Amino acid sequence: DVKVTQSSRYLVKRTGEKVFLECVQDMDHENMFWYRQDPGLGLRLIYFSYDVKMKEKGDIPEGYSVSREKKERFSLILESASTNQTSMYLCASSPPSTGGKNIQYFGAGTRLSVL
Amino acid sequence: GENVEQHPSTLSVQEGDSAVIKCTYSDSASNYFPWYKQELGKRPQLIIDIRSNVGEKKDQRIAVTLNKTAKHFSLHITETQPEDSAVYFCAALFSGGGADGLTFGKGTHLIIQP
């Protein structure tokens, strides 16, 4: 079974703090993704990475950065947390698209509250 | 970029009835359309997908249909059961930078009434 592990299920941070959300996958997948999930807005892509040290902006990258120093680990960084970044954050990984398919495997999510 | 619209946002059906969720996409180059199910408090998981070279795919009680000309695809669940209650997301494949990714719809909360 593919395992995508997010380091924290719940986090509470203060406005202005630097926040790190960590994601690790054990299937040697090339691709990794960070989404935020908000009621009524679905899953919105923040950043993704297709290789070590490579990153691409998703639909809502503002206020976030990412780091991928090792293939299995993809970190999401909030440089200065704000209350509007209170959300559920989901990490996912996938192998390269094969046969025209892109199957993503999700972590359990980190619920972040910024006070 | 790709834009995916999903309707309805909430769907309530009687147990045993059928449920249909519809999605449209904007990029005619998209050729892969998966559906994910997210039960309460759990992670999204792939339940069925379809590629653009077929018009319909079935897996037991669930089926997906695709109309490439109209750029829409639908999820059909027959003989609904309580365990079908969840949020369902449709998605379409996009190609960006060095990788492919998915653009998701906003989700449909399916409620199965006993």
Side-chain angles (χ1 to χ4, degrees):
Chain A
D1 268 355
V2 175
K3 186 173 280 186
V4 180
T5 304
Q6 295 183 231
S7 54
S8 305
R9 284 285 274 160
Y10 301 95
L11 272 180
V12 180
K13 297 292 181 182
R14 296 284 180 188
T15 302
E17 278 193 77
K18 189 168 186 176
V19 182
F20 292 86
L21 303 183
E22 306 286 347
C23 177
V24 176
Q25 50 95 3
D26 66 355
M27 283 301 292
D28 202 36
H29 285 168
E30 280 76 6
N31 304 326
M32 297 189 74
F33 307 84
W34 274 107
Y35 298 89
R36 64 177 282 175
Q37 182 174 17
D38 300 287
L41 297 179
L43 300 169
R44 293 183 291 166
L45 183 63
I46 305 170
Y47 268 97
F48 62 106
S49 168
Y50 55 90
D51 201 353
V52 175
K53 296 193 185 298
M54 305 305 291
K55 61 184 179 183
E56 293 283 345
K57 292 181 180 179
D59 298 317
I60 52 164
E62 296 79 18
Y64 303 94
S65 62
V66 289
S67 172
R68 192 154 181 214
E69 296 297 317
K70 293 185 178 182
K71 190 175 185 179
E72 67 270 20
R73 185 180 296 271
F74 192 35
S75 303
L76 180 69
I77 304 157
L78 288 66
E79 294 288 344
S80 177
S82 63
T83 55
N84 62 11
Q85 292 177 309
T86 291
S87 187
M88 171 69 85
Y89 290 87
L90 288 167
C91 174
S93 73
S94 76
S97 295
T98 52
K101 290 192 171 191
N102 178 272
I103 299 175
Q104 296 192 9
Y105 300 87
F106 284 85
T110 296
R111 186 167 293 282
L112 173 67
S113 296
V114 183
L115 306 178
Chain B
E2 178 68 277
N3 184 47
V4 176
E5 300 284 339
Q6 183 172 348
H7 299 279
S9 56
T10 303
L11 178 60
S12 181
V13 301
Q14 291 292 127
E15 183 178 346
D17 287 351
S18 295
V20 180
I21 302 170
K22 299 182 179 182
C23 290
T24 61
Y25 61 97
S26 61
D27 187 353
S28 56
S30 291
N31 57 14
Y32 173 67
F33 308 93
W35 287 86
Y36 284 75
K37 175 183 180 182
Q38 185 178 30
E39 296 178 28
L40 186 64
K42 298 195 175 178
R43 67 194 75 193
Q45 291 191 302
L46 177 71
I47 56 169
I48 194 168
D49 56 14
I50 190 168
R51 292 184 57 209
S52 59
N53 57 348
V54 298
E56 184 176 4
K57 183 177 178 181
K58 285 184 180 179
D59 182 4
Q60 300 183 343
R61 294 186 299 107
I62 61 173
V64 57
T65 58
L66 171 66
N67 183 327
K68 277 218 65 151
T69 303
K71 291 191 283 188
H72 67 71
F73 57 112
S74 301
L75 178 71
H76 304 253
I77 306 174
T78 58
E79 300 172 17
T80 53
Q81 300 171 5
E83 56 264 35
D84 296 329
S85 291
V87 178
Y88 292 81
F89 295 98
C90 62
L93 185 71
F94 72 85
S95 293
D100 295 336
L102 298 174
T103 298
F104 286 87
K106 292 183 177 179
T108 295
H109 185 193
L110 177 62
I111 302 165
I112 308 301
Q113 303 278 6

